[in-house]
Amino acid sequence: QNKTTLSIIVVGASGDLAKKKIFPALFALYYEDFLPEHFTVFGYARSKMTDGELRNMISQTLTCRIDKRENCNDKMEQFLQRCFYHSGQYGSEENFKELDDKLKEKETGKLANRLFYLSIPPDIFVAAVKSASCLAASQFGWTRVIVEKPFGRDSESSRELTASLKKYLIEEQIFRIDHYLGKELVENLSVLRFSNLVFEPLWSRQYIRNVQLIFSEDFGTEGRGGYFDSYGIIRDIMQNHLLQILALFAMETPVSLDAEDIRNEKVKVLRSMRTLQVDDIVIGQYKGHSKGGKTYPSYTDDPQVPNNSLTPTFAAAAMFIDNSRWDSVPFLLKAGKALHSKGAEIRVQFRHVPGNLYRRNFGTDLDKNTNELVIRVQPNEAIYLKINNKIPGLGMRLDRSNLNLLYSTKYTKEIPDAYERLLLDAISGERRLFIRSDELDAAWALFTPVLKELEEKHVAPELYPYGSRGPVGAHYLAAKYNVRWGDLS
Ligand code: BG6
């Protein structure tokens, strides 16, 4: 037959990520007719399960798009019928061979493409890749492998991981996922900058005072303490999600929208950045307390976290890009768990208007009246620009108002989950939103010395109450560069 088949194999199928994100994203793609006609989904994990049990497990987390409920149940049933399960050890060649045989049974067409999603802990990553000969590039279609972070824990281990993977896979097969790159507003960053005349000319040290990249969660590590404790917030969020946004934000105009052109520019920015210094980072860890009859736990109350853990659950850092566009502009990064709010934002604070005619109307605090562009990545996706405006009336009073693009009022279409976009891209072979190995290397180079120093010197994180705004030290750090943190809106 002339047809092309696609097998999507989720290795680590019973894990949280697979259940909460990967299967629902695959279903959403199916629902929207983005998957090819002949596809099957295989779950692979250690637990014993039948196909029926896998289907039942997946069905708990599948959801329908709100705007089209009618045929959802039928679609769900059809999707589940394409899902199969194979139980096996991650380091067993034999078990992977059995999987390979099952895949071959379904691959009856001329071309058989395979997309593996390795949703497994990093310590068994390489063992799985080594054992799974079915991952090797095939002549009868492509084989691609999506790998989840963490990609190592410092420069050295990351390089080792890359080298081990490359014994079995070629770089073109490896899709390193950073799901923040799949978020709608992160994807929109380049559109905003490069297709609007009003932004790009302002995008430099000449007009921008500082840029803030903020990630905040209002819950703790809940259930993930074991993983989190050996990584911490710098490795979990800052070195990847926030740094990737920074690179996209600050890169020069790429030659084209081609994946290599974009990633070339991102690498250049990362390589132009100054290695983070220990004086330019503040770390924190949440501590429990009781408030309003409710008790909030400390990080170290997590049963998987040692009582004397120094792992940061909060970090704020000041970073600099030593190139002509960004010389001396502080890029302030902040990431924390168990804070007072949940959200992710990019805040761009502009300089003062020189010799502002309305200076007198602003009072003494000029800082409060500079323009600010806020890109709210989540929740309630929005882009707004704070401007000074005359309060209508006969007097001359000014206030700050927002030019506001709120997605929920402007667009009726639901925003797809980041994993949908990234899975679809991997299926189409689009690499733009995946991390190339040199990017990864450059990203680790910025953080490795500081991570080593903090760990070798056993630097104690500043404790902050669960649900607060984080350690006070973060404000001193910002003040050192004449910056005031914007508050998540
Ligand atoms: C993951 C981190 O990469 O991103 C988690 O490991 C974090 O610690 C999560 O909670 C946040 O993702 P999102 O899409 O919910 O903001």
Side-chain angles (χ1 to χ4, degrees), residues 91-288:
S92 159
E93 283 181 36
E94 194 189 330
N95 294 160
F96 273 110
K97 175 78 187 62
E98 293 153 9
L99 171 72
D100 194 37
D101 292 340
K102 282 193 182 168
L103 291 175
K104 282 186 181 134
E105 274 171 36
K106 311 267 177 223
E107 296 171 339
T108 49
K110 199 169 164 195
L111 278 182
N113 298 327
R114 290 179 179 182
L115 177 66
F116 285 83
Y117 197 125
L118 297 190
S119 172
I120 46 177
D123 47 331
I124 43 179
F125 234 52
V126 179
V129 173
K130 185 174 165 207
S131 315
S133 51
C134 46
L135 250 71
S138 135
Q139 335 165 8
F140 307 106
W142 50 253
T143 302
R144 297 180 185 141
V145 184
I146 301 182
V147 287
E148 266 290 340
K149 74 173 221 304
F151 311 119
R153 43 180 300 106
D154 52 22
S155 293
E156 201 185 338
S157 54
S158 160
R159 259 183 232 137
E160 270 168 28
L161 181 66
T162 303
S164 316
L165 288 180
K166 286 194 179 168
K167 277 193 212 148
Y168 310 99
L169 303 168
I170 52 172
E171 175 73 17
E172 287 63 41
Q173 286 187 277
I174 306 173
F175 286 66
R176 292 179 197 83
I177 209 165
D178 182 313
H179 78 284
Y180 264 63
L181 292 182
K183 295 200 184 259
E184 188 62 43
L185 270 85
V186 177
E187 166 96 316
N188 189 44
L189 253 180
S190 298
V191 179
L192 192 71
R193 246 188 96 177
F194 297 122
S195 75
N196 289 297
L197 186 68
V198 294
F199 291 122
E200 180 54 18
L202 304 183
W203 224 252
S204 73
R205 65 188 306 277
Q206 205 176 345
Y207 300 106
I208 293 179
R209 266 195 315 162
N210 67 75
V211 181
Q212 304 180 13
L213 303 156
I214 304 175
F215 167 96
S216 164
E217 274 179 347
D218 55 3
F219 48 89
T221 47
E222 279 136 55
R224 290 176 75 234
Y227 150 78
F228 193 86
D229 199 60
S230 46
Y231 287 91
I233 201 83
I234 303 173
R235 296 182 176 95
D236 189 46
I237 305 287
M238 214 177 241
Q239 181 268 359
N240 34 73
H241 302 330
L242 293 187
L243 193 62
Q244 281 297 320
I245 299 180
L246 186 155
L248 275 179
F249 179 94
M251 70 184 182
E252 295 301 310
T253 317
V255 175
S256 77
L257 290 175
D258 181 81
E260 297 321 317
D261 289 334
I262 293 177
R263 296 190 297 181
N264 287 343
E265 294 309 326
K266 281 169 66 197
V267 177
K268 278 193 222 158
V269 174
L270 295 174
R271 293 186 47 210
S272 311
M273 286 179 71
R274 213 178 291 165
T275 310
L276 181 60
Q277 303 297 312
V278 84
D279 308 345
D280 277 336
I281 189 156
V282 169
I283 54 171
Q285 189 186 82
Y286 63 88
K287 68 166 194 281

Side-chain angles (χ1 to χ4, degrees), residues 363-387:
T364 47
D365 196 351
L366 279 181
D367 255 11
K368 281 199 172 150
N369 299 287
T370 53
N371 296 120
E372 185 170 8
L373 175 69
V374 180
I375 298 165
R376 189 157 70 219
V377 175
Q378 65 188 31
N380 291 332
E381 291 80 351
I383 300 171
Y384 59 92
L385 181 63
K386 293 189 182 173
I387 58 160

